[in-house]
Amino acid sequence: MTTTLRAFLASGVLVVSAFTGSAGAVSAQAEKAAAGSITSITLTKTNADVKRIAEYWSPAKLKQAQNNNPATPEVKPSDGSKASSAPVSPTPTGTASGGTAVKAVTYSGSKASSPVVSPVLPTKKQPSNSNLPRTVGKVFFKIGDKEYWCSASAVASKNRHLVATAGHCAFDPKRNRNADYWIFIPGYDQGKTPYGIYVGHSLNLHENFTAQGDYDYDYAFVTVHDGFVWKPGKSPNTYQMEPVGSLEDNVGGQGLMVNRGVGLSVFAFGYPAAPNIDGSKPYDGQRMLWCDGRTYQTKAPTRLVEMGISLGCTFTGGASGGPWLIYYDPRQGVGYLNGVNSFAWDTDTDKKYDRISSPYFIQSTYVVYEYADRQRAF
C-alpha cells in the first residue's frame, strides 16, 4: 500500500504524535519511549473493500494458506547495509550478537503511568472442547505479492473489535511496506474457523517500529470488522458469507497491563511452525501451543532492543504475535496482555531455539492501544 514514510501522508496513513508519561519499572532504559508517534493505516474504506478481502480468503485459499510461510522479524537496513533476518544468538553477557487523515496531530494518552484494562468474557456462550483461550488465533495477510501468517489475540476494548499482534505481523520495516488483505481467525484449529473470520480495518503501530525497525516497539493493535463464517452456497462448490457479530461478543478479550517489571509469571501462546536453525521442524502451526515461566530482561542491539523481556520457550516462527498473559485464569481463558511473541533465541548455540522475547510494554504501548480503540470500522 505504501513504500516510504514520506509517502504515508499522501496515501492514507495517519502519523500521530504521542507524548507519554513515565515508563515505570525500567524507566531508565525506557526514556527513549517518552515521546513518539503512532502510524495508523486504514485497510478498508468501503464495504466493497471488506468483501474483496473476505472473498480473497475463500475456503480453498485458507486451506492452501496452511502451507504459507509464517512472517519472520526483519531488520531495517541502515547506512545502505544489507538487512538480515538471521536468528539471534546472545553473547555471554546476554545481549545479542550478530483512515485517511493527511496531517500529524497531537495525541496524548492517559495520565496514569500504569493503566489497566480488565479482561472481558464473551457474551455468546459457545461450546468448546479446549481449555485454551479462545481469544488467540491466527492472522493471514499479504505484504506485496507474498502471503504470510502469524499469531494474535483479541484484546478487550470499547470498540469490541480489537486484536493485538506483533508489529512485524502488520508492517515490514525492511521493505517499508504495510500488510494488506489482513484477517484474524480466533480459535484456529487445523483449518477450522469456529468463531468466525474478521477482516482488518486499521493497523496501528508505534512509529519507532515503522520508521526505525525498533523491536522495542514490535507490537500492533488492529481494529477489525464484524466477523463471518463461510457456509455452503445453494449451488455445488459455492460458499456464502454468514455474519457472526463482533469479535468480543464471540471470544471475549484479554485485559492489558503495562509497566509491570520483570520476573513475572507469564503464559505465552501461539502457533509455531518454522524450522529451527538446524532444519528440524518440531511444530506444524496447526494447533495452538503454550509456554510458561518467568520473564528476564533482554537486550538485542541488532534489533535496537534495549528493554526487551524474554521467556524460556522452544517456539519457532509462526508464534510471532501470540499473547503473553499475566495473571492468567485457565478456567476462564483470560488474563492480562503484557507482551507478544517477537523473535526467537538460541541461547546455548545448539541451533535450536530455546527462548522467545517480547517488547516490554510501557506507557507508549497503552497510547497505541488507546488510539486503536478509538478507531471504528464502518
Side-chain angles (χ1 to χ4, degrees):
M1 180 177 178
T2 56
T3 55
T4 65
L5 289 174
R6 183 172 296 178
F8 279 0
L9 297 182
S11 60
V13 178
L14 174 62
V15 179
V16 185
S17 297
F19 298 94
T20 66
S22 169
V26 289
S27 58
Q29 294 185 347
E31 287 180 357
K32 68 176 184 177
S37 301
I38 298 169
T39 299
S40 185
I41 304 165
T42 300
L43 301 178
T44 56
K45 300 177 183 179
T46 66
N47 287 322
D49 290 336
V50 178
K51 187 172 185 290
R52 167 178 52 83
I53 295 171
E55 291 180 344
Y56 179 84
W57 295 107
S58 65
K61 171 67 77 172
L62 284 173
K63 183 176 181 179
Q64 176 187 348
Q66 295 181 34
N67 298 318
N68 287 351
N69 291 325
T72 55
E74 299 284 1
V75 179
K76 189 177 181 68
S78 60
D79 301 324
S81 62
K82 185 178 180 181
S84 170
S85 58
V88 176
S89 297
T91 65
T93 62
T95 59
S97 63
T100 60
V102 294
K103 62 181 180 179
V105 298
T106 300
Y107 178 73
S108 299
S110 168
K111 293 181 180 180
S113 61
S114 300
V116 174
V117 176
S118 296
V120 174
L121 297 175
T123 60
K124 296 181 180 179
K125 303 300 181 183
Q126 302 186 44
S128 173
N129 57 3
S130 171
N131 60 356
L132 294 172
R134 65 174 64 181
T135 63
V136 181
K138 274 189 175 184
V139 296
F140 294 88
F141 55 93
K142 294 178 66 177
I143 296 181
D145 59 356
K146 294 185 178 180
E147 298 171 354
Y148 301 94
W149 57 268
C150 279
S151 303
S153 177
V155 60
S157 65
K158 294 177 182 177
N159 71 27
R160 306 185 66 79
H161 291 83
L162 197 58
V163 178
T165 189
H168 68 268
C169 301
F171 191 93
D172 182 350
K174 178 181 177 181
R175 292 183 285 174
N176 259 337
R177 297 194 69 167
N178 63 272
D180 204 352
Y181 287 84
W182 199 99
I183 62 169
F184 175 53
I185 303 177
Y188 180 95
D189 183 61
Q190 302 181 77
K192 297 177 182 177
T193 62
Y195 309 116
I197 302 169
Y198 300 80
V199 173
H201 170 251
S202 70
L203 311 173
N204 303 277
L205 307 95
H206 198 288
E207 195 190 19
N208 282 17
F209 184 79
T210 58
Q212 303 172 24
D214 186 340
Y215 277 78
D216 271 334
Y217 303 89
D218 184 24
Y219 48 78
F221 293 95
V222 182
T223 57
V224 296
H225 293 270
D226 278 353
F228 71 93
V229 292
W230 288 115
K231 292 291 186 180
K234 296 179 180 179
S235 303
N237 300 318
T238 62
Y239 294 87
Q240 60 187 22
M241 296 167 60
E242 180 178 288
V244 297
S246 78
L247 176 63
E248 203 166 292
D249 285 347
N250 285 298
V251 302
Q254 301 296 338
L256 175 69
M257 286 185 172
V258 302
N259 288 327
R260 294 291 151 168
V262 296
L264 298 179
S265 178
V266 65
F267 285 80
F269 297 90
Y271 293 80
N276 281 303
I277 302 168
D278 64 4
S280 61
K281 194 173 182 181
Y283 309 117
D284 65 5
Q286 294 305 303
R287 296 178 178 86
M288 187 194 313
L289 299 175
W290 57 273
C291 292
D292 68 293
R294 293 194 177 274
T295 58
Y296 296 83
Q297 192 168 344
T298 299
K299 294 185 179 183
T302 57
R303 290 188 170 92
L304 305 182
V305 175
E306 298 178 8
M307 51 184 181
I309 52 177
S310 64
L311 169 73
C313 182
T314 59
F315 278 174
T316 62
S320 288
W324 287 28
L325 303 179
I326 57 176
Y327 309 117
Y328 178 66
D329 180 355
R331 295 169 300 176
Q332 301 285 356
V334 294
Y336 293 84
L337 183 71
N338 192 237
V340 292
N341 297 320
S342 181
F343 56 90
W345 300 64
D346 173 23
T347 61
D348 58 9
T349 65
D350 67 350
K351 297 187 178 181
K352 289 182 171 63
Y353 296 116
D354 52 39
R355 187 166 290 277
I356 193 81
S357 65
S358 166
Y360 179 74
F361 277 15
I362 55 175
Q363 179 70 9
S364 290
T365 314
Y366 180 78
V367 170
V368 179
Y369 159 85
E370 192 175 42
Y371 181 81
D373 190 18
R374 296 187 182 186
Q375 307 308 301
R376 294 292 186 272
F378 47 86

PDB file of all heavy atoms in Angstrom, residues 85-102:
ATOM      1  N   SER A  85      17.615 -11.313   8.438  1.00  0.00           N
ATOM      2  CA  SER A  85      16.597 -11.911   9.298  1.00  0.00           C
ATOM      3  C   SER A  85      17.188 -13.109  10.032  1.00  0.00           C
ATOM      4  O   SER A  85      16.484 -14.019  10.428  1.00  0.00           O
ATOM      5  CB  SER A  85      15.380 -12.347   8.470  1.00  0.00           C
ATOM      6  OG  SER A  85      15.781 -13.269   7.482  1.00  0.00           O
ATOM      7  N   ALA A  86      18.519 -13.102  10.198  1.00  0.00           N
ATOM      8  CA  ALA A  86      19.192 -14.215  10.857  1.00  0.00           C
ATOM      9  C   ALA A  86      18.739 -14.337  12.302  1.00  0.00           C
ATOM     10  O   ALA A  86      18.383 -13.351  12.936  1.00  0.00           O
ATOM     11  CB  ALA A  86      20.703 -13.999  10.806  1.00  0.00           C
ATOM     12  N   PRO A  87      18.757 -15.546  12.838  1.00  0.00           N
ATOM     13  CA  PRO A  87      18.364 -15.721  14.237  1.00  0.00           C
ATOM     14  C   PRO A  87      19.321 -15.020  15.172  1.00  0.00           C
ATOM     15  O   PRO A  87      20.474 -14.768  14.839  1.00  0.00           O
ATOM     16  CB  PRO A  87      18.414 -17.235  14.424  1.00  0.00           C
ATOM     17  CG  PRO A  87      19.373 -17.714  13.387  1.00  0.00           C
ATOM     18  CD  PRO A  87      19.153 -16.801  12.202  1.00  0.00           C
ATOM     19  N   VAL A  88      18.816 -14.717  16.350  1.00  0.00           N
ATOM     20  CA  VAL A  88      19.618 -14.023  17.346  1.00  0.00           C
ATOM     21  C   VAL A  88      20.355 -15.039  18.205  1.00  0.00           C
ATOM     22  O   VAL A  88      19.758 -15.982  18.705  1.00  0.00           O
ATOM     23  CB  VAL A  88      18.726 -13.135  18.232  1.00  0.00           C
ATOM     24  CG1 VAL A  88      19.534 -12.491  19.338  1.00  0.00           C
ATOM     25  CG2 VAL A  88      18.044 -12.066  17.377  1.00  0.00           C
ATOM     26  N   SER A  89      21.653 -14.861  18.386  1.00  0.00           N
ATOM     27  CA  SER A  89      22.443 -15.700  19.288  1.00  0.00           C
ATOM     28  C   SER A  89      23.085 -14.794  20.313  1.00  0.00           C
ATOM     29  O   SER A  89      23.935 -13.967  19.964  1.00  0.00           O
ATOM     30  CB  SER A  89      23.524 -16.456  18.516  1.00  0.00           C
ATOM     31  OG  SER A  89      22.958 -17.349  17.577  1.00  0.00           O
ATOM     32  N   PRO A  90      22.700 -14.889  21.577  1.00  0.00           N
ATOM     33  CA  PRO A  90      23.231 -13.983  22.586  1.00  0.00           C
ATOM     34  C   PRO A  90      24.709 -14.203  22.847  1.00  0.00           C
ATOM     35  O   PRO A  90      25.217 -15.316  22.708  1.00  0.00           O
ATOM     36  CB  PRO A  90      22.412 -14.320  23.836  1.00  0.00           C
ATOM     37  CG  PRO A  90      21.262 -15.112  23.353  1.00  0.00           C
ATOM     38  CD  PRO A  90      21.699 -15.783  22.105  1.00  0.00           C
ATOM     39  N   THR A  91      25.389 -13.144  23.213  1.00  0.00           N
ATOM     40  CA  THR A  91      26.750 -13.247  23.706  1.00  0.00           C
ATOM     41  C   THR A  91      26.694 -13.699  25.153  1.00  0.00           C
ATOM     42  O   THR A  91      25.622 -13.751  25.751  1.00  0.00           O
ATOM     43  CB  THR A  91      27.438 -11.884  23.628  1.00  0.00           C
ATOM     44  OG1 THR A  91      26.762 -10.999  24.530  1.00  0.00           O
ATOM     45  CG2 THR A  91      27.395 -11.310  22.233  1.00  0.00           C
ATOM     46  N   PRO A  92      27.825 -14.066  25.757  1.00  0.00           N
ATOM     47  CA  PRO A  92      27.785 -14.500  27.166  1.00  0.00           C
ATOM     48  C   PRO A  92      27.182 -13.475  28.116  1.00  0.00           C
ATOM     49  O   PRO A  92      26.748 -13.829  29.203  1.00  0.00           O
ATOM     50  CB  PRO A  92      29.266 -14.752  27.473  1.00  0.00           C
ATOM     51  CG  PRO A  92      29.849 -15.131  26.157  1.00  0.00           C
ATOM     52  CD  PRO A  92      29.134 -14.277  25.152  1.00  0.00           C
ATOM     53  N   THR A  93      27.156 -12.200  27.732  1.00  0.00           N
ATOM     54  CA  THR A  93      26.565 -11.198  28.611  1.00  0.00           C
ATOM     55  C   THR A  93      25.054 -11.200  28.534  1.00  0.00           C
ATOM     56  O   THR A  93      24.393 -10.519  29.306  1.00  0.00           O
ATOM     57  CB  THR A  93      27.061  -9.794  28.235  1.00  0.00           C
ATOM     58  OG1 THR A  93      26.652  -9.502  26.895  1.00  0.00           O
ATOM     59  CG2 THR A  93      28.570  -9.704  28.330  1.00  0.00           C
ATOM     60  N   GLY A  94      24.483 -11.926  27.566  1.00  0.00           N
ATOM     61  CA  GLY A  94      23.032 -11.991  27.424  1.00  0.00           C
ATOM     62  C   GLY A  94      22.502 -11.047  26.378  1.00  0.00           C
ATOM     63  O   GLY A  94      21.328 -11.029  26.105  1.00  0.00           O
ATOM     64  N   THR A  95      23.356 -10.244  25.748  1.00  0.00           N
ATOM     65  CA  THR A  95      22.902  -9.371  24.680  1.00  0.00           C
ATOM     66  C   THR A  95      23.082 -10.072  23.347  1.00  0.00           C
ATOM     67  O   THR A  95      23.757 -11.088  23.248  1.00  0.00           O
ATOM     68  CB  THR A  95      23.691  -8.045  24.684  1.00  0.00           C
ATOM     69  OG1 THR A  95      25.082  -8.351  24.513  1.00  0.00           O
ATOM     70  CG2 THR A  95      23.496  -7.318  25.994  1.00  0.00           C
ATOM     71  N   ALA A  96      22.483  -9.545  22.311  1.00  0.00           N
ATOM     72  CA  ALA A  96      22.506 -10.230  21.023  1.00  0.00           C
ATOM     73  C   ALA A  96      23.767  -9.921  20.249  1.00  0.00           C
ATOM     74  O   ALA A  96      24.310  -8.834  20.325  1.00  0.00           O
ATOM     75  CB  ALA A  96      21.298  -9.804  20.202  1.00  0.00           C
ATOM     76  N   SER A  97      24.216 -10.887  19.483  1.00  0.00           N
ATOM     77  CA  SER A  97      25.322 -10.661  18.572  1.00  0.00           C
ATOM     78  C   SER A  97      24.742 -10.651  17.160  1.00  0.00           C
ATOM     79  O   SER A  97      23.823 -11.295  16.850  1.00  0.00           O
ATOM     80  CB  SER A  97      26.348 -11.775  18.720  1.00  0.00           C
ATOM     81  OG  SER A  97      25.786 -13.005  18.373  1.00  0.00           O
ATOM     82  N   GLY A  98      25.718 -10.733  16.540  1.00  0.00           N
ATOM     83  CA  GLY A  98      25.166 -10.933  15.238  1.00  0.00           C
ATOM     84  C   GLY A  98      24.276  -9.802  14.656  1.00  0.00           C
ATOM     85  O   GLY A  98      24.232  -8.849  15.233  1.00  0.00           O
ATOM     86  N   GLY A  99      -8.415   5.231   6.534  1.00  0.00           N
ATOM     87  CA  GLY A  99      -8.011   6.115   7.518  1.00  0.00           C
ATOM     88  C   GLY A  99      -7.600   7.314   6.850  1.00  0.00           C
ATOM     89  O   GLY A  99      -7.520   7.827   6.064  1.00  0.00           O
ATOM     90  N   THR A 100      -7.523   7.884   6.901  1.00  0.00           N
ATOM     91  CA  THR A 100      -7.017   8.629   5.769  1.00  0.00           C
ATOM     92  C   THR A 100      -6.736  10.088   6.098  1.00  0.00           C
ATOM     93  O   THR A 100      -6.830  10.945   5.258  1.00  0.00           O
ATOM     94  CB  THR A 100      -8.007   8.589   4.595  1.00  0.00           C
ATOM     95  OG1 THR A 100      -9.252   9.141   4.972  1.00  0.00           O
ATOM     96  CG2 THR A 100      -8.195   7.207   4.099  1.00  0.00           C
ATOM     97  N   ALA A 101      -6.464  10.398   7.344  1.00  0.00           N
ATOM     98  CA  ALA A 101      -6.068  11.763   7.649  1.00  0.00           C
ATOM     99  C   ALA A 101      -4.716  12.024   7.022  1.00  0.00           C
ATOM    100  O   ALA A 101      -3.924  11.122   6.838  1.00  0.00           O
ATOM    101  CB  ALA A 101      -6.001  11.966   9.146  1.00  0.00           C
ATOM    102  N   VAL A 102      -4.427  13.273   6.678  1.00  0.00           N
ATOM    103  CA  VAL A 102      -3.194  13.581   5.960  1.00  0.00           C
ATOM    104  C   VAL A 102      -2.342  14.591   6.704  1.00  0.00           C
ATOM    105  O   VAL A 102      -1.570  15.316   6.105  1.00  0.00           O
ATOM    106  CB  VAL A 102      -3.498  14.120   4.541  1.00  0.00           C
ATOM    107  CG1 VAL A 102      -4.143  13.039   3.708  1.00  0.00           C
ATOM    108  CG2 VAL A 102      -4.408  15.347   4.610  1.00  0.00           C
TER     109      VAL A 102
END
